[in-house]
Every structure is written in structure tokens, then in C-alpha cells.
Amino acid sequence: MTAQEVNQLLDKLPVLRQEIGKIIVGQQEVLDEVLITLLAGGHGLLEGVPGLAKTLLVRTLASAVDLPFRRIQFTPDLMPTDILGTEVLEEDHTTGKRFFQFNEGPIFASIVLADEINRTPPKTQAALLEAMQEFEVTYAGKTYPLPRPFFLLATQNPIEQSGTYPLPEAQLDRFLLYIKIQYPTELEEISVLKSTTGGAREKVQPILSGPEILTLQSLVREVSISDELVAYVARLVRATRPEDTQVPFVQDFVRWGAGPRAGQALILTAKARALLQGRFAVTLPDLHTMAYPVLRHRILVNFSAEADNITTDKVVEELVKGVELPREVLR
């Protein structure tokens, strides 16, 4: 691509954010993290109490990009075949022969919303693992590729525990970012009330196509990061592990630290954040900003932390303070 073509493509990112902003009021940090997940080619887990527009955000994003969208409502009786698809017996009317035909499930879309993912048992949750990691589905010994780009966003409610099945740590690790949605500010809430109780509704126009998103995902990997920052990422991730860390807070309150996938996720999302802001080099604030959604679901705190209401975000905060910073980096 020429420099002009790259700039034209990057100029569409602020327009994409504006289109989504027609429907989604505020929540800029959440929107940025969702777009970063998309640009980095990963998947996101959205957590928030009911009524914070989690589902609406994903639907609006799907409208702002010209890609097929499917929503899967996760319930206790949902089966893996309800997600992946199933084989049905068909008959060739010309020859009279019967054969099995695979009917694709809702996972065969470019943007998939797994709504309330923690309401279905682990057997059904695990049906997403191959799709999230390998971008393909295996059924009856045959492998079917998923459309590209493939972007899965799952939602869950943090306050309801009855009738839910918390995601196992191995599956949580497959999500690039763990995105927490907070309550809106007073002014944002007033704006929401005005915009959603009137007659006129804004219409979102598609801004990016599938090939353009794939090009942006390739550009993300071309964003530069210095060797000093890569070494800092390695130190930061290794410091989450109680047996390797020099941070007393981690030694006291962490039971299990993050694996190498966390470092990969941190670098990729920092690159995506830089590109989203029109930069072609990662800075230290990129890493510090993305450390929270990257690490909060990859660190397990111990009983002492749970007793003292110490969250993984607090652990990340102490890590950022306690791990030695690189000496000469972009700030």
C-alpha cells in the first residue's frame, strides 16, 4: 500500500467512532477497547450490569462495518450444535441417493455476539474454543473455515451468580481483552434518556468493509515497538507470577500469574491503540493503558486478596508502579 492509501484507510477510524457514537452515548474507553480488539484480530469479553448497552454496542458496531452479524443468546439448555451447526440427511432427487449435508450454525458470521455467555454449561462454552483460536470449526471429522475477519464479543453480568457457569481460566485466556463497562456520568445518562425516548432514531452507515478491516489488522502488526519496550512487557508479565516477581504486593496476594499469551496480547493491543490514534510506534502509555484489560482476567488472586476485596485491577496498578521502567522510550 502507498502512504496515501494507508492514510485514507486510517482516516476512516475516527469516522467509524463517530458513527457508533450516534447510538452509543459516552463509554469512549469501552468503545476504544472494542475497536482495539477488532484491529488486533482478537476477541473481547464485555462485563457490565444490565442496561449498560452491551448488546447495543455490538449491534451498532456490526452496522458500522459491512460484515455479517449473528447473535447467540446463551441459555442453560443451549447445545454445541446450536452454535456450530449440524448435519441433516438430504436426498438427491435426481439419483435418489441420500447424504448428510452440514448446515452452518450462527458461529459462521464475521461478527458474533455471545450474549450472556456464563449462562450456559461448560460443554457448550467450550464449543467456542476452536473457533476463537483456530478460526475454524470441526464437525464429524471435517473442518470448516470461518469467514474472515472473525470477531467474537461475549457479554456477561457480574452481579448474578444463580444459574451461571463462570468461564474457566483457560477459556478466559482466549479473550484478548476483558472489558468492563461502568455506569454513565450524569450528563451522559441525561443524553441517553433524551435520545432513546423520542421519536427520531439515528441510522448508522457502514464505514469499513471486511477487506479493509483485514488490511488494518495487517497494519497493526507493522507498527513498531522498541526492544526496550518489548523487554519491559516481558518484565511486567513475569512479575505477575509469585515465584518470579520482585513486587511484594504480588507475592502477598496473587496465587497464579499470566502466561506468555498475555505478553503477546499486550504488545498487539498497544500497537492497535497506537494505530487507532494515528501513530506508527508504541509508547509507554499505550502499554500502561492496555495492561488493565489484558491482565485482569489472566491473574488469579489468593484467598487473602478476596478477603480484603483486592481485585486484579489493583494488582495491575501495583505492577505498573513496581516494575522497573525502561530508560529511553517514547512517552
Side-chain angles (χ1 to χ4, degrees), residues 62-127:
S63 300
V65 294
D66 192 15
L67 292 173
F69 167 71
R70 298 294 294 272
R71 175 180 179 270
I72 308 171
Q73 180 63 54
F74 279 65
T75 56
D77 60 346
L78 192 73
M79 298 295 292
T81 52
D82 297 327
I83 300 172
L84 306 179
T86 187
E87 285 186 336
V88 295
L89 188 62
E90 299 280 357
E91 181 177 345
D92 189 328
H93 297 291
T94 304
T95 62
K97 291 184 177 180
R98 294 183 177 183
F99 59 95
F100 282 101
Q101 176 72 37
F102 179 69
N103 284 356
E104 297 178 348
I107 195 69
F108 286 86
S110 288
I111 298 181
V112 177
L113 170 60
D115 214 0
E116 295 185 293
I117 190 173
N118 58 338
R119 287 195 174 277
T120 198
K123 176 182 178 180
T124 305
Q125 293 173 357

